[in-house]
């Protein structure tokens, strides 16, 4: 037993050290300052709460700080502070008025339903909107339905939430002030290390939010060209003989080694020069080993991209790149609304499903009128797992896990002296694991359930065994509501009970192709504003539906080949759709740069076998150039997934997909 305990302690200590270290393994002073400040604040708040009976305001402040950091961190300091400005007032309002609304059931139900529905729709706007919406939904459920803070005045709640927001701001500034653009450089460097679709889009989003400096834009443009050439070589390796294929893969492997060295330079705050290993030409390295001396165009494209990165890393021009054409953000928002406010949208159906389940749960909470039902709606939300869109698979596992977890927690409260200390410990653990909470919504909700159960159990004046039974029973009720409403909604709402993967991919490719052709025609001078807008609406709906389809295919713990292929196709086509939609709002003078790439992508999606790098001019327009090269990369990923979906034994077989219009282009 002693050996097991020592092993667990060693594992925990190792994780803590890794959390407080840089990527190179050296101690990170900012992270250590962050951890020390969190520990001091939690200990101080616990002591003040114990002495002056302020434990409830302390919980509200701590949880508010967690919500603020989860929703507003993750990028560079500049962009995080921008999100902080518009998100935290809404968060403070929810945390202040939620306990007050709990005394007015009708208003509480309306507020919860509105926030849950809105949170379910926000994934259409992007990753940070999704995280922000889900965090606000969790804050609304916590403040409105758990009863924590209902015995406090509005002024006390306002002061507590404001203190939590201020503490979150202090923590974020402390971590980011010394190197405000570090997160952006890491995201951009990731494009040289992480293969697969969607990587450039995420990095480009972080770059634009951080002011779009020219040198990082040049790195992204070079990385996008490098990635497009890399995927082209891998595609060509599948179409040639064994010896030639090995040679092409050797070039790719050498290029990856050079790119890894350049990624280190991109992540660095300054660069006075590059090591010899970062200046190699990967194709020449392979040619020196012998064999054929001719090279495909894509091999030269590799070094063109790397050369651009090398120049940008050393020069580091901090001036902002060319901004997008005005109105793009508004147009994309309106397109998302038109695309998904329809029963034909799987995102809308799942948002409605979540809202119905929460509404039924609110009614049950009012009927029970028992403090031990405080975690019911949180447990319901864990089971429903809002990010899964149309999926109910895995809900039974989450149901059992929620009930067993609450039973174990209640038993721990019964047996452990000083169980109230679990609350500050959980809050501290949440504050030092913000990155985990941002990517794992169930962990965030589970931690809120722990806080709720411990706080309410310690205040109930009855045997803790009875309290444990009550909490477990109410958690099971919440889980049962989620399962029941979810199942019934599948019978009532139109959904894909038996998903047609090939049909979904076919209609998605058709819709993305329509968008691509509209942008291509607009880039050549045609006035297609209405057609372009309608094509974007349809492509957004189709790609979002396809992104939700892998969850429908999930019938066991292990990922099947159908799931993997469908997910690859969905991510690639959605990334392609994002690139084309972003390109539509670039300045008109730059759009012609991407016309050759648009033509090549159209050929790839139509089933032609020519995998080659189109000519993308380099004229100091990195924002448009990176889109052009990223289009080609994502089209190659999508084409490979389409081949596997349609079951072709030999990749890159020439074919023509017979696209049938699934909907009229005029979206109602």
């Amino acid at each position: 037993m002693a050996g097991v305990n020592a092993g667990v302690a060693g594992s925990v200590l190792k994780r803590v050290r890794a959390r407080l270290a840089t990527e190179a393994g050296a101690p990170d002073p900012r992270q250590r300052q962050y951890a020390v400040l969190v520990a001091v604040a939690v200990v101080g708040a616990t002591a003040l709460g114990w002495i002056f009976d302020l434990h409830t305001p302390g919980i509200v402040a701590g949880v508010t700080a967690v919500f603020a950091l989860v929703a507003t961190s993750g990028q560079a300091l500049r962009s995080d502070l921008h999100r902080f400005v518009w998100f935290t007032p809404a968060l403070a309002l929810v945390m202040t008025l939620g306990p007050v609304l709990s005394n007015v059931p009708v208003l509480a139900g309306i507020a919860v339903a509105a926030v849950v529905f809105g949170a379910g729709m926000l994934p259409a706007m992007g990753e940070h909107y999704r995280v922000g919406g889900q965090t606000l939904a969790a804050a609304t459920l916590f403040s409105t339905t758990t009863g924590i803070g209902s015995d406090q005045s509005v002024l006390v709640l306002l002061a507590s939430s404001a203190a939590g927001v201020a503490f979150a701001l202090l923590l974020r500034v402390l971590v980011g002030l010394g190197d405000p653009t570090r997160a952006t450089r890491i995201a951009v460097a990731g494009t040289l290390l992480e293969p697969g679709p969607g990587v450039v889009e995420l990095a480009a989003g972080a770059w634009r939010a951080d002011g779009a400096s020219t040198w990082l834009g040049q790195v992204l443009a070079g990385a996008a060209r490098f990635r497009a050439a890399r995927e082209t070589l891998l595609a060509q390796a599948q179409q040639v003989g064994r010896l030639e294929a090995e040679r092409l893969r050797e070039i790719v492997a050498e290029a990856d080694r050079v790119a890894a060295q350049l990624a280190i330079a991109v992540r660095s705050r300054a660069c006075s020069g590059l090591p010899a290993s970062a200046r190699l030409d990967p194709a020449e390295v392979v040619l020196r080993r012998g064999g054929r001396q001719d090279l495909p165009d894509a091999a030269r494209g590799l070094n063109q991209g790397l050369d651009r990165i090398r120049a940008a890393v050393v020069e580091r021009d901090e001036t902002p790149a060319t901004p997008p054409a005005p109105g793009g953000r508004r147009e994309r928002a309106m397109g998302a609304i038109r695309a998904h406010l329809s029963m034909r949208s799987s995102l809308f159906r799942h948002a409605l499903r979540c809202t119905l389940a929460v509404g039924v749960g609110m009614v049950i909470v009012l009927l029970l009128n028992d403090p031990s039902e405080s975690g019911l709606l949180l447990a319901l939300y864990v089971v429903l797992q809002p990010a899964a869109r149309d999926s109910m698979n895995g809900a039974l596992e989450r149901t059992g896990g929620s009930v067993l977890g609450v039973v174990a927690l209640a038993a721990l409260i019964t047996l452990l002296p000083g169980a109230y200390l679990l609350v500050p410990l959980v809050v501290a653990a949440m504050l030092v694991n913000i990155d985990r909470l941002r990517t794992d919504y169930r962990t965030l909700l589970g931690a809120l359930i722990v806080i709720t159960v411990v706080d309410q159990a310690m205040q109930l004046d009855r045997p803790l065994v009875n309290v444990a039974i009550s909490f477990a029973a109410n958690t099971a009720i919440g889980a049962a509501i989620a399962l029941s409403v979810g199942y019934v909604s599948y019978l009532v709402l139109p959904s894909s009970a038996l998903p047609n993967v090939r049909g979904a991919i076919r209609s998605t490719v058709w819709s993305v192709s329509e968008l691509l052709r509209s942008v291509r025609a607009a880039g050549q001078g045609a006035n297609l504003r209405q057609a372009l807008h309608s094509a974007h609406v349809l492509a957004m709906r189709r790609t979002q539906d396809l992104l939700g389809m892998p969850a429908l295919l999930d019938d066991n713990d292990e990922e099947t080949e159908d799931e993997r292929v469908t997910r690859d196709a969905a991510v690639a086509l959605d990334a392609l759709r994002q690139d084309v939609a972003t390109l539509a709002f670039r300045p008109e003078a730059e759009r012609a740069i991407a016309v050759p790439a648009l033509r090549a992508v159209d050929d790839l999606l139509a089933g032609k076998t020519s995998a080659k790098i189109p000519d993308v001019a380099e004229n100091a327009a990195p924002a448009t150039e990176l889109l052009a090269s990223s289009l080609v990369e994502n089209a190659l990923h999508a084409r490979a997934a389409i081949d596997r979906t349609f079951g072709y034994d030999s990749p890159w077989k020439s074919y023509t997909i017979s696209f049938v219009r699934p909907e009229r282009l005029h979206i109602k």
Side-chain angles (χ1 to χ4, degrees), residues 313-652:
V313 166
V314 175
E315 294 172 5
R316 302 215 172 199
D317 181 1
E318 295 287 355
T319 59
T322 308
R329 182 174 297 180
R330 179 180 177 276
E331 288 289 336
R332 283 192 288 270
M334 294 302 297
I337 292 172
R338 291 181 64 192
H340 295 294
L341 281 182
S342 167
M343 291 297 257
R344 290 176 293 183
S345 167
S346 64
L347 206 60
F348 179 87
R349 293 195 298 267
H350 194 74
L352 187 59
R353 189 174 295 122
C354 292
T355 306
L356 291 173
V358 168
V360 173
M362 288 289 291
V363 173
I364 300 297
V365 166
L366 294 176
L367 292 177
L368 291 176
N369 194 25
D370 185 338
S372 62
E373 44 75 23
S374 54
L376 187 150
L377 281 175
L378 289 173
L380 180 153
Y381 221 48
V382 168
V383 172
L384 206 55
Q385 196 180 3
R389 294 182 177 90
D390 271 337
S391 174
M392 287 294 291
N393 297 299
L396 287 174
E397 294 179 6
R398 296 192 294 275
T399 299
S402 299
V403 175
L404 291 176
V406 171
V407 170
L409 178 62
L412 183 64
I413 295 170
T414 304
L415 300 174
L416 186 67
Y420 62 89
L421 292 176
L422 286 174
V423 172
L425 287 175
V426 171
V427 171
M430 295 171 77
L431 286 171
V432 298
N433 287 282
I434 292 298
D435 293 339
R436 168 73 182 275
L437 298 181
R438 189 183 304 112
T439 56
D440 191 345
Y441 194 50
R442 284 175 292 176
T443 300
L444 174 63
L445 294 175
L448 296 177
I449 292 174
V450 172
I451 293 172
T452 302
V453 171
V454 173
D455 180 75
Q456 296 297 314
M458 298 305 295
Q459 295 186 39
L460 293 176
D461 187 19
R462 54 184 175 179
L464 286 178
V465 174
N466 294 343
V467 172
I469 295 173
S470 298
F471 274 113
N474 284 307
T475 302
I477 291 173
I481 292 171
L483 291 173
S484 301
V485 172
Y487 178 74
V488 171
S489 66
Y490 274 108
L491 301 179
V492 176
L493 300 177
S495 59
S496 303
L498 296 174
N500 178 4
V501 175
R502 291 188 178 187
I505 289 180
R506 185 179 290 113
S507 62
T508 304
V509 171
W510 179 87
S511 65
V512 173
S513 296
E514 284 289 310
L515 174 61
L516 187 146
R517 293 184 187 116
S518 299
V519 173
R520 177 180 164 187
Q524 294 173 331
N527 185 10
L528 299 173
R529 180 180 177 85
Q530 182 58 40
L532 178 61
H533 188 69
S534 297
H536 182 221
V537 168
L538 184 57
M540 183 177 289
R541 182 185 297 164
R542 293 277 73 85
T543 53
Q544 286 289 330
D545 289 350
L546 190 61
L547 284 168
M549 188 161 288
L552 295 174
L553 303 171
D554 182 15
D555 55 3
N556 53 54
D557 291 336
E558 296 183 0
E559 188 177 49
T560 64
E561 179 63 20
D562 284 346
E563 290 175 58
R564 190 178 303 108
V565 171
T566 305
R567 181 173 291 106
D568 290 346
V571 173
L573 288 169
D574 186 58
L576 186 58
R577 191 265 311 166
Q578 292 179 51
D579 285 341
V580 178
T582 305
L583 182 64
F585 296 101
R586 292 302 303 165
E588 188 174 348
E590 293 183 8
R591 247 182 278 165
I593 297 172
V595 169
L598 291 170
R599 189 180 298 114
V601 171
D602 199 12
D603 290 343
L604 284 170
L605 294 183
K608 295 183 180 179
T609 60
S610 56
K612 62 181 181 179
I613 293 290
D615 293 327
V616 177
E618 297 184 10
N619 63 346
T624 301
E625 293 164 36
L626 76 88
L627 289 171
S629 296
S630 183
L631 284 168
V632 177
E633 182 206 352
N634 288 318
L636 288 166
H637 285 300
R639 174 61 194 272
I642 291 170
D643 278 345
R644 287 184 289 160
T645 300
F646 285 86
Y648 296 124
D649 295 330
S650 57
W652 294 93

Side-chain angles (χ1 to χ4, degrees), residues 85-390:
V85 167
W86 64 258
F87 178 81
T88 52
L91 174 63
L93 184 67
V94 164
M95 296 300 292
T96 301
L97 297 182
V100 178
L101 290 178
S102 63
N103 299 319
V104 187
V106 175
L107 292 179
I110 293 173
V112 170
V115 173
V116 167
F117 180 79
M121 296 294 292
L122 279 176
M125 297 296 296
E127 177 65 13
H128 284 284
Y129 286 94
R130 178 189 69 81
V131 174
Q134 288 188 345
T135 305
L136 193 63
T140 304
L141 290 173
F142 180 84
S143 64
T144 306
T145 66
T146 62
I148 295 177
S150 58
D151 58 340
Q152 305 292 317
S153 67
V154 174
L155 290 178
V156 171
L157 292 171
L158 180 60
S160 301
S161 58
V165 167
F167 183 62
L169 179 61
L170 175 63
L171 290 174
R172 182 62 192 94
V173 171
L174 174 67
V175 172
L177 194 58
D179 189 1
T181 63
R182 178 172 179 264
T184 306
R185 296 198 310 273
I186 291 174
V188 172
T191 60
L192 296 170
L193 301 172
E194 303 171 29
V199 177
V200 172
E201 285 68 34
L202 290 175
W207 168 68
R208 296 186 191 103
D210 193 26
S213 63
T214 295
W215 83 271
L216 283 176
Q218 298 281 8
V219 171
L220 277 171
R225 187 168 185 82
F226 165 78
R227 293 169 67 92
R230 181 184 185 277
E231 293 304 321
T232 301
L233 284 175
L234 292 176
Q236 291 173 347
Q238 295 179 312
Q239 300 173 284
V240 297
R242 182 177 60 83
L243 293 177
E244 179 64 10
E246 289 179 358
R247 189 173 75 112
L248 295 180
R249 293 191 179 101
E250 285 179 10
I251 294 174
V252 170
E254 290 294 338
D256 287 343
R257 282 190 276 273
V258 175
Q261 293 297 316
L262 286 174
I264 296 173
V266 173
R267 284 198 298 263
S268 302
R269 295 184 64 179
C271 179
S272 57
L274 295 170
S277 57
R279 297 195 301 268
L280 294 174
D281 182 335
E284 287 185 1
V285 172
V286 175
L287 289 179
R288 285 199 296 265
R289 297 172 185 169
R292 289 179 55 181
Q293 297 298 298
D294 59 318
L295 287 172
D297 291 338
R300 285 185 283 273
L302 281 176
N303 213 46
Q304 289 173 354
L306 294 174
D307 280 341
R308 187 149 189 195
I309 297 168
R310 293 179 185 114
V313 166
V314 175
E315 294 172 5
R316 302 215 172 199
D317 181 1
E318 295 287 355
T319 59
T322 308
R329 182 174 297 180
R330 179 180 177 276
E331 288 289 336
R332 283 192 288 270
M334 294 302 297
I337 292 172
R338 291 181 64 192
H340 295 294
L341 281 182
S342 167
M343 291 297 257
R344 290 176 293 183
S345 167
S346 64
L347 206 60
F348 179 87
R349 293 195 298 267
H350 194 74
L352 187 59
R353 189 174 295 122
C354 292
T355 306
L356 291 173
V358 168
V360 173
M362 288 289 291
V363 173
I364 300 297
V365 166
L366 294 176
L367 292 177
L368 291 176
N369 194 25
D370 185 338
S372 62
E373 44 75 23
S374 54
L376 187 150
L377 281 175
L378 289 173
L380 180 153
Y381 221 48
V382 168
V383 172
L384 206 55
Q385 196 180 3
R389 294 182 177 90
D390 271 337

